[in-house]
Amino acid sequence: MELLSNLALGFATALSPMNLFLGFVGCLVGTLIGVLPGVGPIATIAMLMPLTLKVDPTGALIMLAGIYYGAQYGGSTTAILVNMPGEVTAVVTAIDGHEMAKRGSAGRALGIAALGSFFAGSVATLIIAAIGAPLTRLALLFGPAEYFGLMVFGLGLAIVLARGSVLKALIMVVLGLLLSTVGTDLETGQERLTLGIPELSDGVDFAVLAMGVFGIAEILRNLENPESRNVAIAQIGRLLPSREDLRRCFGPIVRATGIGSVLGILPGNGAVLGPFASYALEKKLAKDPSRFGRGAIEGVAGPESANNAGAQTSFIPLLTLGIPPNAVMALMVGAMTIHGLIPGPQVMTKHPALFWGMIASMWIGNLLLLVINLPLIGLWVRLLKVPYRLMFTTILLFCAIGIYSINNNPYDVYFTAFFGLAGYLFIKLGLEPAPMLLGFVLGRLMEEKLRQALALSEGSLMTFVERPVAAALLAIAAAVMLVAVLPAVSRSRQKAFQE
Amino acid sequence: MRRTIAVLVLSAFSSIAAAQAYPSRPVTIIVPFAAGGPTDIIARISGEYFSKTLGQQFVVENVAGAGGTTGITRGAQAKPDGYTIMMGHMGTHGAAPALYANLKYDPTKDFTPIGLVAGTPILIVARKDFPAANLKDFVARVKDPAAKVKQAHAGVGSVSFTTCTLLTSQLGAKSIVAAYRGTGPALNDLVGGQVDYMCDQIVNLVEQVRGGAIKAYAIATPERSPALPDVPTTKEAGLPDYQVSAWNALFAPKGIPQDVATKLNATLVAALDDANTRKRLLELGSVIPDKAGRSPQALQKLVESEVARWNPILKAYAQQ
Amino acid sequence: MAGMQGRILRQDFLGGLAVIGVAALAYWLARKLPASAAGGMGPGALPKGLAVLLGGLGILLLLNAFKSERLARWSVRGPLFVLGALMLFGVTVRPLGLALAGPILIAAAGFASSEVRWRETLVYGLAMTAFCVGLFKFALGLPIPLAPWLLGY
C-alpha cells in the first residue's frame, strides 16, 4: 500500500528531534499569537521567515505550518473568554462561546473547542494524505460562476445565523456587503466609498472590523453593566466537557469536519465560510434552535472543528499545485521559495520527504496542540477572575498593539475605535454584528466572482444557468433563503390573524 | 572667524564620524507588498547580505496597499538619515504616476536612487489546452476578435496587469479581461482553464510550467532564462518589441547624506557579486544587472525612461 | 408629550433612521460611479444597489418601530475614554513609541471606569507595558516603535 509507505516516510521525517522541536515551537508560538488579538499568523510567519533560513526547508515549513493551525486553537480562547476573536475564523465561536463563559462554562467551551479541533485536524490530515491530489482537481472545476453560487448560498446562511428578527439580520448582512465594497474597484482601479481617505483604498480590514464590533463593543457593554458581569464569573463550573457534552457534540463535530475540509481547498479563502456554515447547519438541525446564541455547546464545537479542518486542507492546493488558496499560504510559498524550493505540481514527486513529512507533522502538531491547550484551560479560566478594572485596560492595550501590527499603520487603530463605537450603537439598537461580518466576508468574494463571471461571459447572465454546478448552487441558495424567511413571514401573518 | 572655522571643522568631523558609524542601529527596508511575494523575497535575500556585511540588522517591514504606493509614500516621507530605505519596482516607480492621479510622490524627484537589485522576467503563459502551438499562433488568436480570448490579471496596478496591457496595446488587440484579487486566484483559474492567458513574473509561474499545468509561449527578455531553457525569447519567437521585466531596486528618501548613499550602493554591488546571494536570486529566475547597470545613475535613468514608457499605455486607467 | 417621547425613543425607530441615514450616505458617496460598464457591471452597481436595498429595509424597520423595545440607557463616559484611549494610542505610538503610548492608553482608559484606583493603575500600566514590550518587541520581534525619542527605534 503506497499510502502506508508514504506515511511511514512522513512520520520518520516528522519525528526527527529537530523537526519535532520545530513543530512544537511553531504550535506554541501559534497558540500564543492566536490568543493575542490582531497579531495573526500572517504577521508572525512574515516575521519568523528570516529565522527559518538557519534550518532546512522541511523543518522551516513544519514550524511555520504549526504557527498557522496553532493560531486556530489559540484564536478561540480569547473569543470565548472576552468576546474578542483572536483569529478571523474564531468570530463564530465567539457567539456562543462567550455566552457560555458568561454563564460560568468557559472551561467546557474551551475544552470542546480543543477536542473538536483535534478530531477535525486529524481527519483532515488523513484526507490530505489519501485524496489530496484528486481533490485539487475538483477544486479547479470551481470557476467564478460556481464560486458565486456558493457565496449566495453563504448569504442564505447568514439569515439562519441570526438570533432575533430576520429583518434585522438582513439589514446587518446588507450593511456588511456594503462595507465590503469600500476600497479600490477590482476592474477599473477607481476608489469607492473611501471618503478620500487613502488608508481606506484597500478596503476595511476584517480584523479591524471584527475587533471593533465584537471586542471593543463588549468592553463598552461590560463597563456599563458591572453587576451582571461579576455574578456569572463568580461561579466557575466544570473545567472540561462532560460525557453528555461529548455525546451531544459528536454529530456537529463530524459534520463540521466535512464542511470545513471541503471549503478549505477552495481558492480565495473559501475556508472562512466553514464556521458560519457549520453554525447555521447545527442550528437548523438542533431540536431546540433557540438555545443557539445563548450558550449552546454545539455552537462552539461545530465552528471550531470546521475552522481547524479548513486550516489543514488549505495546504492541499499549496502542496499539490503550488497555488496558495489564501494569504497565509502565499506566505508559505514565499518561505519555500526563499529556501530555493519553489512550490508547484512536482513537489510531491521531487521532494517526497518534505510533502509527507509535512502531512505527518500536521497530525503530530494537532496532538501537541491538544496537549498544550487542555492544561491551559485552568489558567485561562482563573484569568477571568482578575478584577475587570485591570482586565479591560489590558485587553485594550493588547488589542491596540495587535491591530497596529497588522500593517504598521495607526489608521487601523483609529478605524477599530470607530467600529467599536459602531458596535456599541448596534448593541443599543438591538442589531447583531455576526451577520454583518459574514456579509462583509462574503461581499468581497461575491462581487469579485460575479464580475469575473460576467466579464468572462461578456455580460451574459445565462452563464449561471448554463453551468450545471453554478445553477445547482444558486437553486439551493434560493431554497435556503426561502426556508429561512418563510417562518418569519408566516409568524407575522399568524399574529395579524390573531389580532 | 575662529568660531566659524571650529564649527566647520566639527561638522566635517561629525559627518565623517556619522558615515563611519553608519549603520549604528537596525535599518528598515520597506517592502510595499505583502510578505512572500517576489519583491519581498528579493528584498529579504539582499537584506540578509547587508545585515551580514554591515553588522546591523536590515529588517524588512511590509507596508502593503494600493499597488505598492502606500509603502513607497511612507518611505519617501521618512527621515532621510539612511535608516529607512525601500524596495521599489517597476510598478511603484514606473507605472504608478500613470495609474494613480493622486500619487503623493514623484519617482523621478523624491528619492535617492541606490541601485537596481534584480529583475524578474515576464512570461506569456496560457492554459495547457489553449489551441496555439507557438507565439505566432497565439498572437494570431489574440488579435482575432472572433476567438474571444480571455485574459486574467492580479488586479489594477499589479505587474500582471501592466505587462499584459502593454502586450495587448502593442498588438492592437482587445481581449476579454477578468480581474482577480492577487496572483493566486488568477493562476488558479488559468490552471483550471477558466481563462486563456496571463503575463506574469517568472518566479510565480516557473513550477507550474515545469509541471505541465500551464504552457509558456515566450519570455520577454533578450536572453532565455536558465530556469526555463526551453522557452523562446520574444525576439526569437517573433515579437521583438515586447521587452519587459519587473525590475526591483533600492531607494532611499531624497536628501540622505552622500556617504551613506555611497556605502549602501557599494554594499549592493558587492551583494550582487556574492556567490550565495547570486545563487538564490538566480534560482528564482531573476536577472542580475551587470556592473554598468548597478550604479545610482543607471537607476535614475531607468526610472525616468519607465515613467515615460508607461504613461501613454496606462493613462486610460488613471484613478479619478 | 410623554407619548411622543416614548415613540421616538423606541429602538427600531432610531435604528430605522440610522439605517436609512447610512444607506443615503453610501448612495451619495457612490453617486459618481457608473453602474454599468463594458462587459457587465460597473464599479457603482453593487454600492448603489445595496444602498437602495438597505434604505428599503430601513424603512421597513421604521414601520415596525412602535412595537419594539424602548431604548436602554446610553452612557458617555465609557465610550469616550475607551475609544479616546485607542485614538491616543494611534497618535502616539509612532512618534513616542510603545514605551510611552502603552501607559498613556492604560491611563486614559482608566477614566472610563469608576472603579479604577489611581496608584494601582499607574503601577499596573507600567508593568503591563513592560510585559508587552518584552512579548511583542523582543519575543515576537514585531517592528513596533519602542522609544524613537530615546533609542531611535
Side-chain angles (χ1 to χ4, degrees):
Chain A
M1 271 267 304
E2 217 187 287
L3 181 63
L4 284 180
S5 66
N6 284 328
L7 281 176
L9 169 63
F11 275 101
T13 319
L15 285 172
S16 81
M18 187 49 155
N19 289 340
L20 202 56
F21 171 70
L22 287 170
F24 179 73
V25 168
C27 289
L28 199 58
V29 172
T31 310
L32 180 62
I33 46 145
V35 169
L36 296 173
V39 186
I42 297 181
T44 317
I45 294 178
M47 220 47 62
L48 293 178
M49 250 206 281
L51 286 182
T52 63
L53 286 168
K54 302 189 171 64
V55 296
D56 76 295
T58 311
L61 284 173
I62 288 180
M63 183 176 99
L64 297 178
I67 296 179
Y68 176 47
Y69 50 83
Q72 307 301 321
Y73 277 77
S76 47
T77 308
T78 34
I80 292 171
L81 292 178
V82 289
N83 205 37
M84 204 166 247
E87 264 317 292
V88 157
T89 41
V91 162
V92 186
T93 314
I95 302 176
D96 272 78
H98 189 56
E99 285 297 320
M100 283 180 75
K102 289 206 272 203
R103 289 171 173 76
S105 294
R108 287 168 59 222
L110 290 168
I112 201 74
L115 289 168
S117 295
F118 174 68
F119 178 86
S122 312
V123 171
T125 312
L126 219 68
I127 292 180
I128 303 179
I131 52 174
L135 265 183
T136 335
R137 238 157 284 154
L138 209 69
L140 285 177
L141 290 176
F142 244 66
E146 288 75 20
Y147 223 116
F148 175 70
L150 186 66
M151 296 293 120
V152 175
F153 169 70
L155 274 189
L157 293 179
I159 305 175
V160 181
L161 208 61
R163 232 182 300 203
S165 95
V166 170
L167 176 61
K168 286 187 176 177
L170 266 176
I171 288 181
M172 292 310 272
V173 169
V174 175
L175 187 61
L177 287 173
L178 200 54
L179 263 178
S180 76
T181 61
V182 174
T184 310
D185 181 53
L186 200 56
E187 278 174 15
T188 60
Q190 286 176 300
E191 301 235 332
R192 300 197 297 185
L193 303 183
T194 59
L195 302 168
I197 304 176
E199 280 74 11
L200 279 179
S201 63
D202 272 318
V204 174
D205 190 283
F206 183 87
V208 166
L209 181 63
M211 232 33 79
V213 154
F214 268 79
I216 306 288
E218 180 72 14
I219 293 181
L220 294 178
R221 190 213 314 248
N222 282 337
L223 284 175
E224 266 189 354
N225 304 320
E227 327 77 34
S228 66
R229 184 209 325 145
N230 289 329
V231 167
I233 302 301
Q235 5 146 312
I236 300 292
R238 310 178 46 99
L239 277 183
L240 283 178
S242 65
R243 199 159 294 196
E244 167 71 20
D245 289 331
L246 290 173
R247 200 185 49 81
R248 248 200 206 156
C249 291
F250 184 70
I253 292 179
V254 170
R255 287 186 283 269
T257 306
I259 295 175
S261 304
V262 168
L263 289 173
I265 310 174
L266 298 178
N269 213 6
V272 78
L273 203 56
F276 291 99
S278 166
Y279 188 87
L281 181 66
E282 295 314 317
K283 188 170 173 187
K284 262 279 164 267
L285 288 177
K287 291 197 198 82
D288 181 14
S290 65
R291 278 187 306 119
F292 280 72
R294 286 182 183 81
I297 198 170
E298 298 92 324
V300 175
E304 272 305 299
S305 311
N307 78 29
N308 203 39
Q312 310 288 344
T313 53
S314 63
F315 279 88
I316 294 184
L318 174 73
L319 292 174
T320 55
L321 263 188
I323 302 181
N326 60 39
V328 178
M329 291 302 130
L331 272 182
M332 295 291 188
V333 170
M336 286 173 82
T337 312
I338 285 195
H339 281 273
L341 242 167
I342 307 183
Q346 298 173 319
V347 158
M348 198 158 53
T349 39
K350 278 204 271 189
H351 304 276
L354 175 79
F355 183 81
W356 295 105
M358 273 207 71
I359 294 182
S361 80
M362 280 189 219
W363 189 84
I364 298 177
N366 272 285
L367 187 62
L368 281 174
L369 282 164
L370 195 65
V371 165
I372 296 176
N373 277 280
L374 281 180
L376 282 179
I377 293 180
L379 173 68
W380 296 127
V381 165
R382 223 145 303 183
L383 218 57
L384 283 179
K385 287 197 159 175
V386 170
Y388 200 67
R389 64 178 184 277
L390 294 175
M391 265 270 270
F392 86 91
T393 53
T394 314
I395 300 174
L396 206 59
L397 181 61
F398 273 70
C399 179
I401 298 178
I403 295 281
Y404 174 80
S405 312
I406 301 177
N407 250 330
N408 299 309
N409 191 347
Y411 272 83
D412 287 335
V413 180
Y414 305 146
F415 292 142
T416 311
F418 172 74
F419 287 119
L421 181 62
Y424 180 69
L425 290 174
F426 290 152
I427 297 177
K428 292 298 172 191
L429 293 173
L431 298 168
E432 281 171 72
M436 180 182 82
L437 257 63
L438 180 57
F440 179 80
V441 160
L442 289 179
R444 276 223 169 130
L445 275 173
M446 216 177 73
E447 185 186 14
E448 182 188 338
K449 293 303 164 189
L450 176 62
R451 289 171 77 178
Q452 281 163 5
L454 285 178
L456 291 174
S457 71
E458 292 182 276
S460 153
L461 281 172
M462 286 304 286
T463 181
F464 297 112
V465 176
E466 287 160 8
R467 300 172 72 115
V469 181
L473 281 169
L474 284 172
I476 300 178
V480 165
M481 286 202 257
L482 271 171
V483 164
V485 174
L486 270 176
V489 172
S490 66
R491 240 184 287 131
S492 58
R493 277 234 201 97
Q494 278 184 332
K495 263 204 238 160
F497 276 134
Q498 282 168 355
E499 279 163 20
Chain B
M1 187 60 189
R2 236 182 272 167
R3 237 207 285 156
T4 327
I5 299 181
V7 165
L8 283 173
V9 169
L10 265 174
S11 41
F13 267 124
S14 67
S15 69
I16 296 175
Q20 279 173 341
Y22 178 86
S24 57
R25 52 182 168 83
V27 176
T28 309
I29 307 179
I30 295 183
V31 170
F33 299 100
T39 306
D40 176 70
I41 296 180
I42 291 177
R44 286 176 195 268
I45 294 179
S46 41
E48 219 186 296
Y49 182 85
F50 274 73
S51 303
K52 244 191 313 196
T53 352
L54 293 179
Q56 281 287 342
Q57 276 299 319
F58 274 66
V59 179
V60 167
E61 189 179 315
N62 300 88
V63 185
T69 55
T70 309
I72 297 297
T73 308
R74 187 178 307 184
Q77 293 168 350
K79 207 158 86 155
D81 55 8
Y83 287 95
T84 310
I85 56 181
M86 67 211 96
M87 193 78 157
H89 85 344
M90 176 190 88
T92 60
H93 282 74
L99 283 174
Y100 300 97
N102 299 323
L103 196 60
K104 293 204 169 65
Y105 59 85
D106 179 349
T108 57
K109 297 204 184 73
D110 292 336
F111 301 91
T112 314
I114 310 266
L116 256 184
V117 181
T120 6
I122 300 297
L123 277 179
I124 304 177
V125 292
R127 61 181 169 88
K128 65 172 186 274
D129 299 325
F130 191 71
N134 53 40
L135 187 64
K136 281 223 161 64
D137 293 345
F138 171 77
V139 167
R141 278 195 83 87
V142 170
K143 280 179 155 169
D144 175 12
K148 300 203 184 208
V149 179
K150 306 181 196 137
Q151 176 200 110
H153 68 75
V156 173
S158 67
V159 168
S160 49
F161 168 76
T162 47
T163 50
C164 253
T165 311
L166 177 65
L167 180 65
T168 46
S169 96
Q170 273 187 356
L171 294 179
K174 258 188 92 65
S175 297
I176 301 174
V177 177
Y180 287 80
R181 222 176 266 276
T183 310
L187 189 54
N188 192 79
D189 272 5
L190 185 67
V191 173
Q194 316 280 352
V195 291
D196 295 318
Y197 76 98
M198 228 173 107
C199 320
D200 203 353
Q201 303 175 63
I202 189 175
V203 71
N204 290 330
L205 306 170
V206 63
E207 278 298 318
Q208 279 72 26
V209 174
R210 284 193 196 143
I214 54 180
K215 59 184 175 189
Y217 285 119
I219 189 166
T221 44
E223 275 160 26
R224 295 194 177 199
S225 167
L228 285 175
D230 295 329
V231 176
T233 65
T234 45
K235 220 184 330 194
E236 291 169 359
L239 210 59
D241 293 330
Y242 189 64
Q243 295 289 330
V244 61
S245 117
W247 50 268
N248 298 280
L250 273 178
F251 294 89
K254 177 174 58 178
I256 64 168
Q258 184 54 47
D259 18 16
V260 173
T262 316
K263 197 169 202 177
L264 285 171
N265 175 263
T267 321
L268 179 60
V269 170
L272 295 177
D273 280 331
D274 168 59
N276 184 29
T277 312
R278 283 187 76 91
K279 170 164 155 300
R280 293 165 70 207
L281 286 175
L282 290 171
E283 264 168 3
L284 297 176
S286 329
V287 171
I288 301 180
D290 57 11
K291 281 282 190 324
R294 296 182 201 175
S295 69
Q297 294 77 13
L299 178 57
Q300 179 70 14
K301 264 231 299 284
L302 178 66
V303 171
E304 287 166 4
S305 69
E306 285 283 283
V307 171
R309 179 211 236 196
W310 291 109
N311 200 344
I313 300 170
L314 297 174
K315 251 315 180 215
Y317 285 91
Q319 290 193 322
Q320 268 79 39
Chain C
M1 225 43 279
M4 183 61 155
Q5 248 189 357
R7 279 190 174 174
I8 293 179
L9 288 179
R10 298 269 164 200
Q11 236 183 27
D12 289 354
F13 189 77
L14 282 178
L17 283 180
V19 167
I20 295 176
V22 170
L25 175 68
Y27 193 89
W28 185 80
L29 283 174
R31 68 195 183 284
K32 289 206 204 121
L33 298 170
S36 68
M41 297 165 54
L46 213 57
K48 286 184 181 166
L50 288 173
V52 168
L53 181 58
L54 190 63
L57 290 173
I59 294 176
L60 276 179
L61 192 62
L62 211 55
L63 292 177
N64 195 33
F66 307 121
K67 303 188 216 103
S68 70
E69 298 167 26
R70 300 214 57 184
L71 218 46
R73 243 178 346 120
W74 295 57
S75 60
V76 174
R77 181 176 178 172
L80 180 67
F81 288 108
V82 166
L83 301 177
L86 266 182
M87 304 285 287
L88 258 180
F89 183 87
V91 168
T92 55
V93 68
R94 294 185 75 204
L96 298 178
L98 186 56
L100 284 185
I104 290 179
L105 175 126
I106 294 193
F111 282 102
S113 161
S114 51
E115 302 169 359
V116 158
R117 301 173 206 160
W118 283 110
R119 222 175 308 166
E120 176 191 73
T121 310
L122 194 60
V123 171
Y124 183 73
L126 292 171
M128 194 35 79
T129 304
F131 174 72
C132 283
V133 167
L135 179 63
F136 289 96
K137 192 89 191 127
F138 296 116
L140 289 179
L142 292 178
I144 188 168
L146 185 52
W149 46 274
L150 185 65
L151 301 166
Y153 65 88

